[in-house]
């Protein structure tokens, strides 16, 4: 059976002043519909590059990404991306930022209907009262909520999250992790999360893809996470399975993520 | 920009008084032809106190003279920004375009209005279009350069948002690129307007058209030196006011 999102032998080579740099080599994963998958690895291992190629912002040098068995050739509205920084347009209010996406996904709607829908998505992420505010008037966490609302308003089949909580303080980060988890429980949309936070990956994912260190990063270990759903922070952090998985992930990151490279050298 | 308070105003009086003193001393000692501040006022007050009076083609109140010059500047400036803004956008967004035209622009940029004006007269055979041609050509560059750097300075994030949302070229331009560049564009406009005002005087002097610069040159030829000083002061005050007004627009846009 064809998986809805497949990455096949993905290789990305950058031309640098000092020669060619192969960031990712022969990276393959396949993601079934509705799964919450995390790409976890050391900073700079190329996980964001993989996500960026999935989103269609960069092109693979070899291999590629298929949606429903068809290779993608650029960005698509069925794949919504949330960036590390909120990346809102500062001259538009929260509502207008979301409206921009609504208008792209459903171009035939009247302006009023677009506004109504934009507010619906802002409400989903819990910030309906900030609709008229400019991004500069909002906290980082709230801005990132707007960015999530903007992504959701496309009603995408795949939600691609590129370290979306990396710039937030830990309390806000917890809140947003719970928000994303709640939203996922409701619609079971396929999510690919890039992160370097072990606990975050364990808390939210069905499966963790551990990447080896770059250059020539590839899949190091795939780890299914069978913690009971719906999850909450307290019960997860007192679960023995959680600690076993956590030890396994940390062991990989500390001892095994470099082995592949040494073998290659 | 300094805030307009009573204290700041008192401070700025010091500079004005110092300049006046210097002027008075010069006129009383080594520059015998230079009219003193008092004499200048005495001989020019009719132009200042009846600024809209028209006594002859080249004998009009300073309000009228400034108005003629300002209309000319407005036309030239409008032409400059109509050409300069899209040109800056193209230079900023296309590397190929930049490589093709930047060297030419760098050569044209330092050419003085005094050099362009005769060329304008050769091309258009009339002083009015030649003046506009000169103003536009000389004042365009800050708009071009600032718009270009504005487009270049646009954060990669905005570009990515436009790509991910699959915005059309038109929407990317109107909803993303232009708003992101507007503060830079207006800095360019302000500098361009300042230049346009500088250029107008030279243009009117050479073509002898009615306006503040034309009047200045005529009064020099008629040996009425006090009127030259009046014109100089008027040019300064008008230029200052224009810059202030553009500055207000600019800071408004920067907040957004």
């Amino acid at each position: 059976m064809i998986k809805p999102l497949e990455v096949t032998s993905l290789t990305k080579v950058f031309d640098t002043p000092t020669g060619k740099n192969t960031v990712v080599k022969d990276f393959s994963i396949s993601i079934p519909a509705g799964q919450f998958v995390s790409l976890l690895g050391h900073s700079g291992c190329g996980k964001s590059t993989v996500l960026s190629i999935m989103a269609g912002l960069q092109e693979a040098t070899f291999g590629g990404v298929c949606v429903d068995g068809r290779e993608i050739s650029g960005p698509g509205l069925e794949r919504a991306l949330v960036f590390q920084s909120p990346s809102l347009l500062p001259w538009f209010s929260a509502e207008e930022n979301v409206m921009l996406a609504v208008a792209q996904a459903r171009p035939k709607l009247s302006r009023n209907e677009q506004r109504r829908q934009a507010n619906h998505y802002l409400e989903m992420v819990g910030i309906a009262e900030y609709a008229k505010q400019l991004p500069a008037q909002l906290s980082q966490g709230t801005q990132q909520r707007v960015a999530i609302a903007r992504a959701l308003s496309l009603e995408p089949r795949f939600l691609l999250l590129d370290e979306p909580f990396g710039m937030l303080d830990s309390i806000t980060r917890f809140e947003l992790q719970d928000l994303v988890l709640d939203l996922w429980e409701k619609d079971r949309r396929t999510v690919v999360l890039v992160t370097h936070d072990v606990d975050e990956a364990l808390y939210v994912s069905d499966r963790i893809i551990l990447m080896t260190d770059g250059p020539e990063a590839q899949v190091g270990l795939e780890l299914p996470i069978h913690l009971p759903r719906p999850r909450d922070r307290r019960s997860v952090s007192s679960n023995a399975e959680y600690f076993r998985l956590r030890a396994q992930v940390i062991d990989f990151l500390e001892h095994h993520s470099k082995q592949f490279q040494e073998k290659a050298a | 920009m300094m805030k307009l308070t009573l204290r700041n105003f008192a401070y700025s009086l010091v500079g004005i008084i110092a300049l006046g003193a210097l002027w008075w001393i010069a006129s009383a000692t080594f520059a015998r032809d230079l009219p003193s501040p008092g004499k200048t006022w005495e001989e020019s007050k009719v132009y200042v106190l009846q600024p809209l009076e028209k006594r002859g083609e080249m004998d009009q109140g300073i309000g009228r003279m400034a108005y003629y010059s300002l209309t000319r500047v407005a036309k030239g400036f409008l032409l400059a920004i109509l050409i300069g803004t899209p040109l800056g956008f193209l230079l900023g967004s296309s590397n190929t375009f930049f490589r093709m035209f930047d060297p030419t622009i760098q050569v044209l940029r330092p050419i003085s209005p005094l050099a362009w004006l005769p060329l304008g007269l050769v091309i258009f055979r009339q002083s009015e279009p030649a003046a506009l041609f000169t103003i536009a050509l000389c004042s365009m560059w800050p708009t071009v350069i600032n718009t270009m750097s504005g487009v270049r300075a646009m954060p990669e994030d905005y570009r990515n948002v436009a790509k991910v949302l699959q915005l059309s070229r038109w929407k990317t331009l109107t909803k993303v690129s232009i708003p992101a560049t507007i503060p830079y564009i207006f800095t360019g406009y302000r500098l361009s307007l300042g230049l346009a005002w500088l250029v107008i005087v030279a243009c009117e002097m050479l073509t002898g058209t009615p306006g503040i610069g034309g009047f200045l040159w005529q009064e020099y030829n008629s040996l009425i030196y006090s009127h030259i000083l009046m014109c100089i002061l008027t040019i300064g005050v008008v230029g200052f006011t224009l810059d202030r007004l553009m500055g207000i627009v600019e800071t408004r846009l920067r907040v957004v």
Side-chain angles (χ1 to χ4, degrees):
Chain A
M1 197 189 99
I2 297 171
K3 298 273 174 58
L5 189 60
E6 302 222 39
V7 181
T8 316
S9 315
L10 184 83
T11 301
K12 180 69 182 175
V13 184
F14 285 110
D15 284 318
T16 67
T18 51
K20 293 199 183 301
N21 178 20
T22 308
V23 182
V24 181
K25 193 174 180 185
D26 274 331
F27 182 95
S28 301
I29 49 170
S30 86
I31 300 170
Q35 199 169 54
F36 201 131
V37 180
S38 291
L39 290 183
L40 183 63
H42 284 286
S43 293
C45 73
K47 51 195 192 298
S48 283
T49 306
V50 171
L51 196 76
S52 176
I53 294 170
M54 283 184 180
L57 285 178
Q58 293 184 42
E59 276 182 33
T61 313
F62 303 108
V65 178
C66 291
V67 170
D68 294 332
R70 297 185 57 159
E71 191 171 353
I72 62 159
S73 60
L77 296 179
E78 81 285 357
R79 284 164 282 133
L81 179 62
V82 176
F83 303 87
Q84 183 171 13
S85 71
S87 304
L88 302 175
L89 301 177
W91 43 88
F92 287 147
S93 66
E95 179 185 81
E96 287 166 332
N97 267 286
V98 180
M99 280 168 75
L100 192 64
V102 172
Q104 290 302 107
R106 295 175 286 284
K108 287 191 182 124
L109 295 181
S110 71
R111 189 123 180 105
N112 272 334
E113 184 57 21
Q114 283 172 17
R115 192 179 304 278
R116 204 190 59 74
Q117 292 204 2
N119 278 289
H120 164 71
Y121 290 101
L122 288 173
E123 207 179 303
M124 271 171 73
V125 299
I127 51 163
E129 70 269 35
Y130 296 120
K132 305 288 179 197
Q133 308 258 41
L134 290 174
Q137 299 167 297
L138 304 173
S139 69
Q140 275 276 337
T142 311
Q143 287 186 38
Q144 199 57 290
R145 280 174 195 255
V146 179
I148 293 169
R150 178 172 65 186
L152 290 175
S153 76
L154 296 170
E155 287 297 341
R157 292 178 53 204
F158 309 98
L159 193 57
L160 311 178
L161 308 173
D162 188 3
E163 297 187 35
F165 316 127
M167 286 166 77
L168 306 174
D169 64 86
S170 56
I171 294 171
T172 315
R173 188 155 63 225
F174 287 169
E175 283 171 9
L176 285 192
Q177 285 165 359
D178 286 334
L179 170 72
V180 167
L181 215 47
D182 283 349
L183 291 168
W184 181 83
E185 287 289 351
K186 277 178 205 143
D187 57 27
R188 296 277 169 154
R189 211 185 296 270
T190 314
V191 179
V192 184
L193 169 75
V194 160
T195 180
H196 53 233
D197 182 334
V198 176
D199 294 307
E200 176 172 295
L202 285 167
Y203 181 47
V204 297
S205 315
D206 291 320
R207 181 160 61 126
I208 298 180
I209 315 270
L210 284 153
M211 286 180 72
T212 63
D213 293 356
E216 303 196 357
Q218 43 187 274
V219 177
L221 185 67
E222 289 198 31
L223 212 57
I225 310 296
H226 294 303
L227 296 169
R229 302 244 188 209
R231 294 177 192 165
D232 68 86
R233 215 167 288 278
R234 186 181 297 212
S235 63
V236 165
S237 58
S238 60
N239 190 314
E241 173 74 356
Y242 172 79
F243 287 101
R244 193 188 63 75
L245 289 164
R246 193 169 189 276
Q248 202 178 347
V249 170
I250 289 175
D251 179 59
F252 173 86
L253 290 173
E254 283 190 337
H255 302 295
H256 304 291
S257 66
K258 288 191 194 69
Q259 279 184 356
F260 295 84
Q261 222 181 318
E262 281 155 16
K263 238 185 271 171
Chain B
M1 211 183 287
M2 249 199 317
K3 267 183 129 174
L4 210 67
T5 61
L6 204 63
R7 181 186 286 254
N8 279 336
F9 180 70
Y11 274 119
S12 65
L13 276 182
V14 176
I16 295 169
I17 292 168
L19 182 70
L22 212 62
W23 173 7
W24 183 77
I25 291 167
S27 67
T29 55
F30 61 90
R32 284 294 178 181
D33 286 338
L34 181 73
S36 71
K39 188 169 177 240
T40 303
W41 172 247
E42 207 47 51
E43 292 180 2
S44 328
K45 67 180 176 196
V46 60
Y47 292 95
V48 182
L49 296 177
Q50 300 172 324
L52 302 179
E53 194 68 17
K54 182 171 183 175
R55 286 171 292 269
E57 188 57 30
M58 290 302 274
D59 185 17
Q60 308 185 27
I62 53 163
R64 272 180 172 276
M65 290 298 189
Y67 172 74
Y68 294 141
S69 296
L70 279 172
T71 10
R72 208 165 282 131
V73 161
K75 285 183 201 159
F77 173 68
L78 204 67
L79 203 60
I81 64 176
L82 282 179
I83 302 170
T85 319
L87 187 61
F89 248 95
L90 284 171
L91 286 168
S93 33
S94 155
N95 240 324
T96 320
F97 197 84
F98 176 79
R99 276 191 232 154
M100 287 194 282
F101 293 100
D102 185 63
T104 314
I105 287 171
Q106 295 308 333
V107 171
L108 293 181
R109 215 154 59 96
I111 299 173
S112 142
L114 300 171
W116 284 121
L117 190 69
L119 183 68
L121 289 168
V122 170
I123 298 172
F124 299 103
R125 296 180 187 180
Q126 274 178 326
S127 61
E128 196 61 30
L132 296 186
F133 164 80
T134 308
I135 295 167
L137 257 180
C138 290
S139 65
M140 186 162 79
W141 309 120
T143 296
V144 174
I145 307 280
N146 272 281
T147 307
M148 182 180 85
S149 4
V151 175
R152 293 247 170 97
M154 192 167 91
E156 193 61 31
D157 282 354
Y158 299 169
R159 250 182 276 271
N160 283 336
V161 168
K163 279 191 211 158
V164 170
L165 293 181
Q166 297 197 299
L167 297 183
S168 63
R169 266 166 186 269
W170 177 248
K171 269 198 170 175
T172 304
L173 189 71
T174 53
K175 307 253 176 194
V176 185
S177 307
I178 291 180
T181 323
I182 272 189
Y184 291 84
I185 295 180
F186 270 81
T187 304
Y189 286 178
R190 192 178 121 206
L191 297 171
S192 283
L193 188 60
L195 263 182
W197 185 245
L198 272 182
V199 170
I200 185 79
V201 177
C203 283
E204 288 176 352
M205 276 182 161
L206 289 176
T207 57
T209 37
I212 205 91
F215 184 61
L216 190 154
W217 193 243
Q218 178 202 260
E219 299 305 273
Y220 169 70
N221 287 327
S222 327
L223 309 177
I224 311 173
Y225 300 147
S226 56
H227 291 172
I228 297 182
L229 288 157
M230 174 193 70
C231 287
I232 288 178
L233 290 175
T234 312
I235 291 166
V237 170
V238 172
F240 170 77
T241 314
L242 285 180
D243 192 66
R244 267 296 165 104
L245 290 176
M246 284 303 274
I248 292 169
V249 177
E250 202 188 335
T251 32
R252 282 263 167 94
L253 290 169
R254 229 173 244 305
V255 178
V256 175

